[in-house]
Amino acid sequence: MIATLIILALSAVFFAMGKVRSDLVALCALVALLLTGTLTPQEAISGFSNQVVIMMVGLFVVGGAIVQTGLAKKASGKLMMLAGDNEIGLFLLLMVVTAVIGAFVSNTGTVALMMPIVVSLAQKAKIRASRLLMPLAFASSMGGMLTLIGTPPNLVIQEALTESGHQPLGFFSFLPVGLVCIVVGIVVLLPLSKRFLNGRQRGDDDGKARRRKTLDDLLEEYSLKDDLSVFTVTDASLVKDKSIVELDVQRRYGLSVLEVRRVKKTHAKLMKEVEQRLAGPDTRLMVGDIVYVSGNKQQAEQMAADMQLNKTSQPLAFYDIGIAEAVLMHNSRLCGKTLRDGGLRRLYSVNVLGVRRGDDYITRNLADLKLRQGDILLIQGKWKNISRIANLAEGILVMGQPLEEAARVTLDYKAPLAAAIMVAMILTMVFDFIPVAPVTAVITAGLLMVLTGCIRSVEAAYKTINWESIVLIAAMLPMSVALEKTGASALVARMLADGLGQASPYALLAGVYFTTSLLTLFISNTATAVLMSPIALTSAMAIGVSPYPMLFAVTLGASMCFASPFSTPPNALVMQAGGYTFMDYIKVGLPLQIIMGLVMVFVLPLLFPF
């Protein structure tokens, strides 16, 4: 027992100092418990197979798909319309929406689904996401107190009541308690988050993200939007079933065909595929194709009239085809050659849309332009082909990271499908009559997001997972096994509860709440509730008072744990994204946890009399 408590204390010190990565501290604690013989190897690795950890992995992928398909932006836009750009309005709306979702979905799932929306919301409102992410995690826990299924400790006390022969709680018996939690949370968090939550998020350093040229910036810089015309091929069009070379638009009209986009829809309207093709000589046009043409607008209108094409307004998108700038170095074989003779199209399957030479931008008659050292080419092609140039073409320096740029492109045509998968996952987790375990629902949803293309690739799915948070939770979960196995948690709980029970019901209630709250800092909230429920029940019966307020104190103390990043999965989920340290949770979470306890000591007897 002594060794376990020493390891726990040292871990807490290193977490608080913040000098060593939190996942490394957790792993060191795990190894120490193994070396001292406190845990068996099977017990030590049990956290990595825990359902909560597996769910977190799947939910990161689902959250990544929500961002990739633009659902996060759309949802944040709706919230912005409701709250305006007022930070207090956004804060209040976020707390209420998250709490309501948390009443029916696991708090881990709620945070994973809301986190990309909140980050997008913060960017639009031009405030730090760190001001909102920790309140998001806390609000999900508060929302769990609104219903019976909101959080596992609620089910634990329900089982304790039922087994002891007392009247079971109803689905909304928790609602008054949950509403008080939300009100207290809002009142306390509003000033604390403004005062203490100003951490830097990843990507803030030196404003690099703000200085990076976006794809739209490149289109504007080369005036390609001004020269762009878009047409649709119809049954009446004279170009259907003809190839680009047969149309001869360059010679006849002085125009360039940039891209042909083809939309494929299945009988299930959600399954829509968009195929983008570079306009090569052999590209054959079909009815429904969208043709993107660059050049003089009047000439483009003349071409459309001659070929009976319908004008449309589809903007350029970069799902499969992207653009990037490439600099010609002194050793490039293209120097001194024309683009026609350079063979970029033949060798790498890319087009050149424009050339920047000093302060001049050249976008017309490019085929016969003789290239020079220092020229910057705006190239267009499949993302993988642009990446090939970056890796293989000697003397051509591609600016930026094409594959990383591709990962940032929003696959908005997949948004309805991603929304359907997410809603199905939530419904499966909410309704008990659906015979699918929550962890199965989450894994299935994550897999479907990848298989249906809502997230660009398996590699992109892996990159959405915050492995530091996963390792932190998985490595700390066995600590609860060690504390229970050595009897440390039971000893502390009984000493505190038994001692205060001799004073008054209010003192016992406070003791139960704060003992549970203290234990939840170090072991999982579910394990704490299981441990404390029989103690609270027995103590209440021993002094002749109702067990209901005591058991509610257990579930509140287990669920309202905010002073540590590893006490609940939601706290860990937002730690890296918000750039928080262990001390940030102490500064904001500990006062909230104490105030919540003090309020509940007086509110619970009013709702559930002794």
Side-chain angles (χ1 to χ4, degrees):
M1 182 190 297
I2 300 300
T4 302
L5 293 175
I6 290 173
I7 293 169
L8 180 60
L10 288 174
S11 301
V13 169
F14 278 103
F15 279 129
M17 290 172 59
K19 300 293 186 183
V20 184
R21 283 173 53 120
S22 55
D23 54 343
L24 187 58
V25 173
L27 285 172
C28 288
L30 187 64
V31 170
L33 291 171
L34 268 171
L35 294 176
T36 56
T38 305
L39 295 177
T40 65
Q42 290 76 18
E43 291 169 335
I45 63 173
S46 62
F48 292 90
S49 61
N50 187 279
Q51 288 192 18
V52 170
V53 174
I54 303 301
M55 282 180 66
M56 285 175 64
V57 172
L59 288 167
F60 271 123
V61 176
V62 173
I66 291 171
V67 173
Q68 184 88 79
T69 58
L71 274 178
K73 277 189 177 179
K74 289 180 182 178
S76 63
K78 296 288 186 184
L79 290 175
M80 284 286 286
M81 289 175 62
L82 289 172
D85 57 359
N86 182 275
E87 184 177 344
I88 295 177
L90 288 174
F91 179 90
L92 294 174
L93 187 63
L94 171 68
M95 291 289 289
V96 172
V97 169
T98 304
V100 170
I101 296 174
F104 303 97
V105 181
S106 72
N107 52 12
T108 307
T110 301
V111 171
L113 294 176
M114 287 293 293
M115 193 159 61
I117 296 173
V118 170
V119 172
S120 178
L121 191 67
Q123 289 174 347
K124 286 187 177 182
K126 297 181 180 178
I127 61 176
R128 289 186 181 276
S130 59
R131 298 277 280 269
L132 299 175
L133 286 171
M134 192 181 291
L136 165 72
F138 295 170
S140 71
S141 297
M142 295 170 199
M145 293 305 303
L146 293 170
T147 64
L148 178 64
I149 65 168
T151 183
N154 291 1
L155 297 172
V156 171
I157 68 165
Q158 169 81 315
E159 185 178 357
L161 286 167
T162 304
E163 288 184 353
S164 61
H166 291 84
Q167 183 70 27
L169 298 165
F171 189 83
F172 287 110
S173 296
F174 295 80
L175 184 61
V177 178
L179 291 175
V180 173
C181 289
I182 294 168
V183 171
V184 172
I186 290 173
V187 171
V188 175
L189 282 175
L190 192 57
L192 288 179
S193 61
K194 276 195 168 187
R195 174 69 177 83
F196 295 112
L197 298 183
N198 290 299
R200 292 163 63 88
Q201 285 88 280
R202 291 177 177 180
D204 280 353
D205 295 339
D206 304 323
K208 290 179 182 176
R210 290 188 291 275
R211 291 202 300 267
R212 179 182 56 83
K213 285 183 186 177
T214 67
L215 300 177
D216 283 336
D217 289 339
L218 289 176
L219 292 179
E220 291 284 352
E221 185 177 340
Y222 285 80
S223 302
L224 289 177
K225 287 185 176 180
D226 298 334
D227 291 339
L228 187 68
S229 300
V230 189
F231 305 102
T232 303
V233 180
T234 67
D235 277 318
S237 299
L238 302 180
V239 301
K240 66 177 183 180
D241 299 324
K242 290 188 177 181
S243 65
I244 297 294
V245 72
E246 291 178 279
L247 303 183
D248 198 16
V249 295
Q250 177 65 51
R251 185 185 62 81
R252 293 171 62 188
Y253 304 100
L255 302 172
S256 300
V257 181
L258 301 183
E259 175 191 327
V260 176
R261 189 183 303 179
R262 189 166 294 162
V263 179
K264 299 178 181 178
K265 293 182 180 178
T266 63
H267 294 296
K269 292 183 179 179
L270 291 176
M271 297 295 290
K272 184 169 88 169
E273 292 294 333
V274 175
E275 181 185 354
Q276 289 182 290
R277 297 184 178 189
L278 278 184
D282 300 327
T283 303
R284 195 165 293 277
L285 300 178
M286 297 171 58
V287 174
D289 283 354
I290 302 169
V291 184
Y292 292 80
V293 178
S294 178
N296 184 276
K297 291 273 189 178
Q298 291 181 339
Q299 289 294 96
E301 295 286 351
Q302 184 62 51
M303 182 197 78
D306 293 345
M307 299 180 180
Q308 297 184 28
L309 297 167
N310 282 0
K311 190 172 183 179
T312 187
S313 57
Q314 293 277 347
L316 272 174
F318 305 100
Y319 308 132
D320 302 313
I321 293 176
I323 56 176
E325 287 185 308
V327 183
L328 294 188
M329 311 299 286
H330 70 281
N331 59 334
S332 172
R333 63 174 188 79
L334 294 179
C335 292
K337 293 184 179 181
T338 63
L339 275 173
R340 190 192 308 277
D341 298 330
L344 279 176
R345 170 86 195 183
R346 174 175 48 82
L347 293 173
Y348 301 105
S349 299
V350 297
N351 291 332
V352 177
L353 303 183
V355 176
R356 174 153 62 101
R357 182 172 289 169
D359 294 330
D360 297 325
Y361 291 85
I362 307 165
T363 57
R364 307 256 177 102
N365 304 314
L366 291 173
D368 297 318
L369 178 68
K370 188 170 288 189
L371 299 173
R372 305 175 188 169
Q373 173 188 341
D375 281 351
I376 298 176
L377 313 183
L378 182 66
I379 55 178
Q380 176 201 36
K382 295 279 187 181
W383 285 110
K384 62 180 180 181
N385 291 334
I386 296 176
S387 183
R388 281 180 60 224
I389 293 180
N391 295 328
L392 301 177
E394 186 178 355
I396 303 178
L397 177 63
V398 175
M399 300 168 69
Q401 298 292 329
L403 295 182
E404 289 184 12
E405 193 66 56
R408 284 190 281 264
V409 174
T410 301
L411 305 175
D412 49 11
Y413 65 95
K414 292 284 188 181
L417 180 58
I421 293 172
M422 183 184 70
V423 169
M425 180 192 76
I426 292 172
L427 292 176
T428 303
M429 295 170 71
V430 168
F431 295 112
D432 290 335
F433 62 82
I434 300 176
V436 178
V439 66
T440 306
V442 171
I443 293 173
T444 303
L447 185 61
L448 285 174
M449 291 293 191
V450 176
L451 295 177
T452 58
C454 293
I455 201 162
R456 189 172 288 276
S457 63
V458 176
E459 289 77 15
Y462 281 124
K463 287 180 180 179
T464 65
I465 301 168
N466 188 322
W467 293 107
E468 185 173 347
S469 296
I470 296 298
V471 172
L472 171 65
I473 291 293
M476 285 305 295
L477 280 173
M479 179 65 75
S480 63
V481 178
L483 290 171
E484 291 177 57
K485 189 176 179 180
T486 58
S489 53
L491 177 63
V492 173
R494 286 190 179 278
M495 285 175 61
L496 290 173
D498 290 347
L500 291 170
Q502 304 300 319
S504 73
Y506 283 96
L508 178 60
L509 188 64
V512 169
Y513 177 91
F514 286 108
T515 300
T516 307
S517 188
L518 178 65
L519 289 175
T520 310
L521 288 173
F522 308 109
I523 62 178
S524 74
N525 58 357
T526 306
T528 305
V530 171
L531 177 69
M532 286 297 299
S533 290
I535 296 173
L537 187 67
T538 304
S539 300
M541 295 174 69
I543 64 172
V545 298
S546 170
Y548 287 91
M550 301 299 172
L551 286 170
F552 266 91
V554 170
T555 191
L556 279 165
S559 301
M560 304 294 103
C561 192
F562 310 123
S564 164
F566 53 83
S567 55
T568 64
N571 292 3
L573 275 172
V574 300
M575 186 177 184
Q576 299 304 317
Y580 302 127
T581 64
F582 186 89
M583 288 308 297
D584 288 327
Y585 289 87
I586 297 294
K587 292 174 184 176
V588 177
L590 185 59
L592 175 60
Q593 194 166 323
I594 293 172
I595 293 170
M596 189 78 75
L598 294 174
V599 170
M600 285 303 170
V601 167
F602 295 101
V603 168
L604 283 177
L606 297 177
L607 298 174
F608 305 95
F610 288 124

